[in-house]
């Protein structure tokens, strides 16, 4: 699918690790399917870390430390 205002627009983006493997010897240790499951599990098990961000609670910290914040 070509979008007129975005020349070079791709349908899909994929990372080819060939160059980083060849030049640096790096290979991913985790397959995407496994990594996404672990990531989702982390967010489920660590809601106390991210919930204040969603709630906007972090803004109270900045207001307390630096005064009125912009929205």
């Amino acid at each position: 699918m070509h979008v007129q205002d975005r020349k070079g627009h791709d349908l899909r983006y994929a990372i080819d690790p060939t160059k980083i493997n060849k030049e640096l010897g790096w290979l991913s240790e985790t397959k995407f399917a496994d990594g996404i499951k672990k990531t989702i599990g982390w967010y489920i098990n660590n809601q106390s870390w991210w919930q204040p961000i969603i709630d906007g609670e972090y803004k109270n910290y900045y207001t307390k430390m630096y005064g009125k914040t912009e929205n």
Side-chain angles (χ1 to χ4, degrees):
M1 181 172 119
H2 175 74
V3 178
Q4 194 64 24
D5 65 339
R6 292 181 62 198
K7 302 207 185 297
H9 178 77
D10 295 327
L11 289 176
R12 177 178 173 275
Y13 295 94
I15 295 173
D16 178 359
T18 305
K19 184 175 180 180
I20 196 167
N21 176 253
K22 184 177 176 182
E23 294 185 13
L24 302 177
W26 182 87
L27 284 175
S28 175
E29 295 178 1
T30 306
K31 292 184 180 189
F32 178 81
D34 296 331
I36 197 72
K37 287 177 188 174
K38 288 171 72 174
T39 300
I40 292 168
W42 186 92
Y43 277 94
I44 290 170
N45 294 321
N46 292 279
Q47 292 183 35
S48 63
W49 181 86
W50 59 264
Q51 194 64 49
I53 297 168
I54 301 286
D55 295 342
E57 181 63 30
Y58 70 94
K59 291 180 182 179
N60 293 335
Y61 168 81
Y62 286 101
T63 300
K64 180 180 175 185
M65 298 303 286
Y66 305 108
K68 184 174 169 76
T69 60
E70 294 183 33
N71 290 335

